[in-house]
Amino acid sequence: MSGKKSALDFVSTWDWAEIVTLRARQQISNDEMEVKELQERIMFILDQAEQRYEDYKIRQQFSVPAS
């Protein structure tokens, strides 16, 4: 695997566990509103990871290599 990072590299182990749990709940739910709320939570987690990735890219632009 290459050293190139993506937004998925910034999803924590706890967040992955929550996403898996939320997806499982979506699969068994018959409540359309609950499914929508679960999907919104998943998207929120992934949006946070995307923001951490964008912050990482900005920090990389301004970081000074160790000598």
Side-chain angles (χ1 to χ4, degrees):
M1 180 162 199
S2 72
K4 198 159 177 74
K5 292 198 177 281
S6 75
L8 294 179
D9 292 313
F10 293 86
V11 179
S12 73
T13 302
W14 289 109
D15 286 343
W16 279 122
E18 183 175 2
I19 288 170
V20 169
T21 302
L22 293 170
R23 287 291 294 145
R25 287 177 53 196
Q26 278 184 310
Q27 296 298 315
I28 62 173
S29 179
N30 292 324
D31 182 355
E32 216 174 286
M33 195 62 155
E34 180 184 25
V35 169
K36 184 179 180 198
E37 289 171 3
L38 295 169
Q39 185 62 35
E40 287 173 0
R41 176 65 185 153
I42 290 169
M43 293 309 299
F44 176 75
I45 292 168
L46 295 175
D47 287 344
Q48 286 182 318
E50 183 71 31
Q51 185 59 53
R52 287 191 295 270
Y53 176 56
E54 293 300 322
D55 292 346
Y56 165 80
K57 289 192 307 187
I58 291 168
R59 284 192 310 273
Q60 291 301 101
Q61 289 177 340
F62 297 104
S63 68
V64 178
S67 53

